[in-house]
Amino acid sequence: DVVLQIEAAFVHLAVASSNGDIAVDNYNKALSHLQRAALDVVKLLWLHKKKELSYVIEDRDIRSFCVNTSESEFLEQYSRAEKLAQEARRVEISAVGVNPGASVEAYYEAAIAFDNALQLVDYGKVKKFKQYRWRYILRKHVVGFVYGVVAGVVATYIYQYL
């Protein structure tokens, strides 16, 4: 949609340069298309940052052990970012059809807030923690399986000879 908005803006600029009678109207339409393109781009940025942060928020262990601050401070940063995103959405809804560029700055602030929360995540710790988690789960199940097999063999042996 961004590319289409930019293309439409260029079309209006071309019409404005070729026909001076309707130039002002076409300049305004081109500006409107560029504002919508900017809004779409900043919303994509915001959505990407939010999605990138969602796996940390959803996994309590990663949130607890892989963030370079306290969990409560991290959740406070996330909550602040969510509030800014809600405010941006409110601004966007109130400006529909009037000024498409009104919420660009609000969405940008929300994206920056999500990015600030992302800066607190230590991706080295996340990688090591995920490796540890898999080793722990594997070891737990393998040990349980081996105990089960050994117990079954011992029980069979005892049952046959008693």
Side-chain angles (χ1 to χ4, degrees), residues 42-51 85 107 110-111 114:
V42 78
K43 283 172 73 173
L44 285 171
L45 174 67
W46 161 75
L47 190 61
H48 173 73
K49 294 295 183 182
K50 181 177 178 162
K51 187 175 181 181
Y107 273 112
F114 278 111

Side-chain angles (χ1 to χ4, degrees), residues 4-19 22-34 36:
L4 294 175
Q5 294 293 341
I6 292 173
E7 180 185 1
F10 281 130
V11 168
H12 284 293
L13 290 173
V15 170
S17 66
S18 66
N19 188 347
I22 55 173
V24 173
D25 186 43
N26 277 290
Y27 286 139
N28 288 334
K29 288 179 182 179
L31 176 63
S32 179
H33 283 293
L34 290 175
R36 280 190 290 246

Side-chain angles (χ1 to χ4, degrees), residues 108-157:
Y108 185 72
E109 288 177 15
I112 294 299
F114 278 111
D115 190 56
N116 288 341
L118 276 169
Q119 297 301 318
L120 298 174
V121 177
D122 187 338
Y123 291 102
K125 286 181 183 177
V126 170
K127 183 179 177 183
K128 288 178 183 177
F129 184 80
K130 285 182 177 180
Q131 290 172 346
Y132 169 78
R133 182 187 283 169
W134 280 109
R135 282 195 309 257
Y136 175 76
I137 289 171
L138 184 64
R139 187 176 14 188
K140 183 175 154 182
H141 289 291
V142 168
V143 168
F145 178 74
V146 169
Y147 280 154
V149 169
V150 169
V153 169
V154 169
T156 303
Y157 180 75

